[in-house]
Amino acid sequence: MALTIAVLIKQVPDMGTVKIDRATGRPSFGGQQVVSSYDEIAVEEAIRLKEAHGGEVVVLCAGGPSAKDAITRSLAMGADRGVHLALADPNAADTLTVAGVLAAQLRALSPSPDVVLAGQASDDYATGQVGAQVAELLGWPHLSAVTDVAVADGELTVERDTEDGKQVCAVAPPVVLLALTGLNEPRLPSLKGIMAAKRKPVEAVTPPAPPAEDRVNWDDPYVPERGAAGVIVQDVPPAEAAERLVAWLREQRLV
Amino acid sequence: MTTCSMFELTDEQRALRDTIREFAEAEIAPHAAEWDERHVFPTETIRQLGELGAMGVAFPEEYGGLGAGAVAQAVVVEELARIDSSVAVTVGANASIAGEPILLFGTEEQKQRWLVPLARGEHIGAFASTEPGGGSDVRAATTVARREDGCWVLNGAKAFTTNAGTDLSAFCIVTARTEADGGGALSTLIVPTGTPGYEPQKPYRKLGWHASDTRELVFADCRVPDDAVLGPLGKGARVFLTALDGGRIGVAAMSVGLAQGALEQAMAYAKERIAFGAPIARQQAIHFKLADLKTQIEAARLLTYRAAALKEAGQPITEAAAVAKLFASEVAVRAAEENLQIHGGFGYIEESPVPRFYRDAKVLTIGEGTSEILKYVIARQMDLIA
């Protein structure tokens, strides 16, 4: 079964280069912008599904002009086309607003996607809300924390992480899947892929500006005070760990 | 070509660089010390680089390449040398002195047979010109190709040949005196590696570049057909000199990469090593060294990219390539030495990449023309000598 797969990606600062100024609490981002890591796993999964079953992978990214680099990276990995939704600063808009912009574009896609893939959460603000909100706005089911996807007979078998183990779900398209570490190891784009990416179409869309009341204001960030060092009890049998913990609590006169 | 610019890489060149950097850090860096110590040619890694597209960066798409140009080619070689010079020379030599002459001088049939698989990374090639008795003095070559029954029969020996004896090696371009052309002038012939009489000798025990394949080649009644001649008969010196010009940009790029890698190692150590209560980077004696290196590397990089940009634009490159290679290779040797000096005793121990970079650097002022030959080339370009 050939699949039309849409992938929602976000461009974020490379977390490896982020530094916090301890005096002002302000982060400096080092300039390097990358595809958010769970989103890259989503792109990889979409490409693998296409390679196995045929179809098309469309990448959607809402952001400023540099967001095009994130789309290009996905195209270099093997996605077929991109849609760049001009949104000056996605972090300044409420997550539901961003989800609304993405959902409207997904409704407009032709052919309509069978599967929408996105990362579980973004590397920068990590709210984990947008994917679920998109599903809700589209009226589609969604599965979060996805660690395996198999397609057979027009149905998807999806494995997901839960707090106490794994859950396997059968679901019929259309569906929104949120990718988690363990789903795959994203490929490095080949040099050929990079050269091919510039010939792949990227549609530029300017969505209506989000209403002012939907803007999110962020308080000045600060570096939390370092608290007293904790006590870690590990690598001992549970019974002994419990004894040590109780002894410590008594010592501190906490019990 | 624009006459002036910000001297920045394009988005595409940056994307190619980032991919090679990620590959080199993930797939080469963890193994480089072992390959160096055991003198292993990393066949599988070279194959992977081929699959990635690294062997065909500058070759046209119609011949299996990426069509990304000579600057991108230099950037790829530079990034590899930042981690491992042996891998960089394998890729650089393959593209610039094996693939490039076939692109420039080959017949359509030769391009399809040798260049297309080379650009796609399916096989690699070599160029053998230097002989035990002479290198840059190519006209003194004694290897002979004798005309016999519509074939060429090669006899002689070649020295210091890169990529001639690996599991991936498919062909070697050989300069030889062709007796049947009337004057015993130099010609170039493409010799498939499996040809009877093509005899790669044991790899050399080199000071550096331990993971690259360098050998003496012996030709003993090695018979190749008429269509093995590359370029016009008797014009082998031109093929050789053209290949060298491109090769020099490759060595310049390797030099920039090695120097950059050495600088990064030195900076990391200088920030971390505490002496007299502070990181040694705060000592003027150390940070002046690092600032000098940074300045010289930036200059070497610009000279290298400029030579590559001229090549991309189809301009003459003899002088620009010689200038870039001369300057960059001397910077590389200096950077490797200062890196070792800054590391002190630890730099002398084979437990970090520091000694490997030191050993790998020296050949850069020798291969593709010694610094002395390059000064001669530049002086000739300046009309100072005939």
Side-chain angles (χ1 to χ4, degrees):
Chain A
M1 155 195 185
L3 295 165
T4 299
I5 307 166
V7 191
L8 312 179
I9 63 170
K10 182 178 183 185
Q11 190 185 41
V12 298
D14 181 351
M15 290 300 142
T17 64
V18 174
K19 288 192 181 125
I20 310 283
D21 184 323
R22 293 199 74 84
T24 64
R26 296 232 163 250
S28 73
F29 292 116
Q32 183 79 359
Q33 299 270 316
V34 297
V35 178
S36 187
S37 53
Y38 291 139
D39 294 349
E40 197 157 75
I41 294 173
V43 172
E44 174 66 31
E45 194 61 21
I47 295 166
R48 287 187 190 192
L49 288 171
K50 181 189 80 166
E51 285 168 352
H53 305 284
E56 189 193 29
V57 175
V58 190
V59 172
L60 283 73
C61 186
S66 73
K68 185 133 186 292
D69 293 346
I71 295 174
T72 306
R73 167 96 182 184
S74 308
L75 297 176
M77 287 171 71
D80 300 292
R81 63 189 175 97
V83 180
H84 178 197
L85 296 144
L87 197 64
D89 180 5
N91 293 322
D94 182 73
T95 54
L96 190 58
T97 306
V98 176
V101 166
L102 291 166
Q105 192 59 37
L106 287 166
R107 275 192 214 99
L109 277 189
S110 172
S112 180
D114 303 298
V115 178
V116 173
L117 269 156
Q120 176 69 27
S122 62
D123 290 349
D124 54 357
Y125 287 82
T127 67
Q129 294 169 355
V130 174
Q133 289 168 339
V134 165
E136 193 63 23
L137 291 169
L138 292 172
W140 296 1
H142 93 272
L143 291 165
S144 61
V146 171
T147 54
D148 190 52
V149 180
V151 180
D153 305 324
E155 198 176 74
L156 282 77
T157 306
V158 177
E159 183 190 85
R160 54 187 299 270
D161 270 1
T162 62
E163 285 184 2
D164 51 0
K166 294 276 188 191
Q167 185 182 42
V168 177
C169 311
V171 61
V175 61
V176 177
L177 304 177
L178 305 183
L180 197 63
T181 313
L183 179 56
N184 59 52
E185 191 62 47
R187 71 192 67 189
L188 197 59
S190 74
L191 305 188
K192 269 201 174 71
I194 291 168
M195 299 302 288
K198 67 181 173 184
R199 287 194 286 266
K200 294 180 177 177
V202 178
E203 187 188 348
V205 175
T206 306
E213 64 269 24
D214 285 357
R215 286 190 62 82
V216 174
N217 292 312
W218 297 93
D219 280 348
D220 273 351
Y222 62 91
V223 180
E225 286 299 315
R226 192 183 289 272
V231 176
I232 296 171
V233 180
Q234 63 180 14
D235 299 334
V236 293
E240 192 187 328
E243 265 178 38
R244 283 204 216 170
L245 189 57
V246 170
W248 183 84
L249 288 168
R250 289 205 170 118
E251 208 175 281
Q252 303 292 317
R253 299 186 183 281
L254 294 169
V255 288
Chain B
M1 195 176 90
T2 51
T3 51
C4 197
S5 71
M6 293 285 287
F7 305 105
E8 295 286 347
L9 297 180
T10 63
D11 289 349
E12 189 178 281
Q13 288 160 347
R14 277 195 296 115
L16 294 170
R17 180 194 64 192
D18 293 349
T19 289
I20 290 292
R21 184 173 292 181
E22 280 180 55
F23 180 88
E25 286 174 355
E27 307 294 334
I28 299 175
H31 310 291
E34 190 200 337
W35 297 337
D36 176 70
E37 188 182 335
R38 294 177 44 219
H39 293 245
V40 175
F41 179 83
T43 306
E44 199 42 47
T45 304
I46 298 300
R47 210 191 296 271
Q48 284 173 8
L49 276 163
E51 281 168 16
L52 204 61
M55 297 301 189
V57 177
F59 298 126
E61 286 173 278
E62 60 192 288
Y63 294 119
L66 302 179
V71 175
Q73 163 76 25
V75 168
V76 164
V77 170
E78 175 190 339
E79 281 304 322
L80 292 171
R82 180 175 157 267
I83 301 295
D84 187 331
S85 290
S86 294
V87 174
V89 68
T90 302
V91 173
N94 185 46
S96 61
I97 57 175
E100 181 88 8
I102 293 179
L103 176 71
L104 295 178
F105 298 100
T107 62
E108 186 56 31
E109 198 188 329
Q110 288 169 336
K111 289 178 194 172
Q112 292 299 335
R113 181 173 176 194
W114 302 115
L115 179 61
V116 171
L118 180 147
R120 289 190 185 143
E122 293 158 10
H123 69 211
I124 63 175
F127 191 104
S129 179
T130 295
E131 299 191 352
S136 293
D137 185 7
V138 64
R139 288 175 181 85
T142 60
T143 298
V144 170
R146 190 177 73 242
R147 195 90 174 106
E148 200 177 285
D149 304 331
C151 288
W152 293 99
V153 183
L154 275 161
N155 278 288
K158 295 290 179 183
F160 312 133
T161 309
T162 301
N163 289 344
T166 76
D167 290 345
L168 300 172
S169 304
F171 69 92
C172 181
I173 303 172
V174 182
T175 54
R177 228 158 254 303
T178 37
E179 293 177 329
D181 64 12
L186 218 55
S187 298
T188 35
L189 296 111
I190 307 173
V191 182
T193 48
T195 311
Y198 175 89
E199 296 170 4
Q201 305 298 296
K202 274 196 343 196
Y204 293 106
R205 301 285 296 178
K206 305 185 294 270
L207 174 67
W209 281 6
H210 288 174
S212 77
D213 182 81
T214 322
R215 297 166 193 259
E216 184 176 342
L217 291 178
V218 171
F219 297 93
D221 287 330
C222 179
R223 188 178 291 264
V224 290
D226 218 15
D227 62 9
V229 176
L230 177 66
L233 199 61
K235 301 285 182 201
R238 189 156 72 89
V239 177
F240 166 76
L241 291 171
T242 309
L244 264 188
D245 280 344
R248 282 172 187 156
I249 300 177
V251 176
M254 276 175 232
S255 304
V256 174
L258 181 141
Q260 179 67 35
L263 174 64
E264 289 172 20
Q265 291 162 22
M267 284 172 57
Y269 186 76
K271 285 183 191 169
E272 170 195 299
R273 171 73 170 176
I274 307 288
F276 307 107
I280 60 171
R282 300 225 191 121
Q283 302 282 355
Q284 193 182 63
I286 302 299
H287 63 234
F288 269 28
K289 275 187 203 292
L290 295 170
D292 278 342
L293 284 181
K294 165 85 176 164
T295 307
Q296 291 162 10
I297 293 167
E298 291 290 341
R301 183 177 284 121
L302 286 176
L303 286 174
T304 303
Y305 290 178
R306 174 173 170 270
L310 286 170
K311 183 166 191 285
E312 209 167 299
Q315 304 278 333
I317 55 163
T318 300
E319 182 179 310
V323 166
K325 196 271 190 185
L326 171 63
F327 186 78
S329 62
E330 303 272 345
V331 168
V333 170
R334 214 171 300 136
E337 190 189 349
E338 293 290 29
N339 182 31
L340 198 154
Q341 187 69 22
I342 289 168
H343 275 77
F346 289 111
Y348 204 65
I349 308 295
E350 294 275 4
E351 280 178 7
S352 76
V354 178
R356 174 164 59 89
F357 273 57
Y358 186 74
R359 289 186 279 100
D360 284 347
K362 189 56 208 164
V363 70
L364 298 166
T365 65
I366 298 170
E368 312 292 32
T370 59
S371 291
E372 292 72 21
I373 281 288
L374 293 174
K375 287 176 192 178
Y376 170 77
V377 169
I378 295 163
R380 275 189 61 148
Q381 293 289 315
M382 294 163 74
D383 283 333
L384 298 170
I385 38 180

